[in-house]
Amino acid sequence: MKRQASSKTAAVQPEPNAFSGLNLPNLPAGTGAKPVDPEAPQSRWKMGRVVLQRETAHRGGKTVIVIKDFASHLPLSVIETIAKRVRSACGCGGTVRDRRVEIQGDQVARIREVLEAEGFEVGGVKA
């Protein structure tokens, strides 16, 4: 036996686009927007402010720069991407712990440059 589709399960026809018939030839050309790099985190989020802190406690006398106070709306994946870029720029090791980035060595100037290039406002330790 063949069943007929009830009105509840029938496919809903999409409405036509309200702007499909719109023709406005006298509009000025749009401003030339810069191409956006989809890989750049700043194209998706407002980065906010971070604080640099120099630490040596419980590290065997070694200096570590901690980047902390990331904005709460930034996901951990963005923080990890930023950490990777900072480590690459500094040529050193580091890690992400509890939404804080720990970079080995005393390279405040390089870290500050990378963070500002990413769109952060940087406070804390001065170079």
Side-chain angles (χ1 to χ4, degrees):
M1 294 189 116
K2 204 174 190 183
R3 285 183 153 180
Q4 290 183 347
S6 69
S7 62
K8 290 182 181 179
T9 60
V12 177
Q13 295 294 327
E15 293 183 18
N17 184 353
F19 301 105
S20 63
L22 190 61
N23 183 14
L24 298 172
N26 296 331
L27 285 179
T31 59
K34 295 182 208 172
V36 177
D37 179 15
E39 293 295 316
Q42 65 267 27
S43 65
R44 291 173 278 195
W45 295 286
K46 184 172 182 179
M47 301 309 272
R49 182 176 188 271
V50 293
V51 177
L52 300 181
Q53 180 178 359
R54 183 179 286 123
E55 291 184 0
T56 56
H58 306 289
R59 301 181 192 281
K62 307 280 183 171
T63 301
V64 172
I65 302 297
V66 178
I67 307 166
K68 62 181 189 172
D69 295 342
F70 283 95
S72 60
H73 68 275
L74 291 176
L76 189 58
S77 62
V78 170
I79 296 172
E80 289 171 348
T81 302
I82 298 297
K84 186 174 183 178
R85 290 183 182 163
V86 171
R87 287 194 313 260
S88 296
C90 295
C92 63
T95 188
V96 177
R97 286 192 187 144
D98 302 325
R99 296 183 58 87
R100 296 164 38 124
V101 178
E102 299 177 359
I103 302 296
Q104 297 173 352
D106 193 5
Q107 303 186 43
V108 177
R110 285 186 187 169
I111 295 170
R112 184 177 295 273
E113 284 176 16
V114 172
L115 291 173
E116 288 174 347
E118 291 291 327
F120 287 99
E121 221 179 284
V122 182
V125 178
K126 297 292 180 191

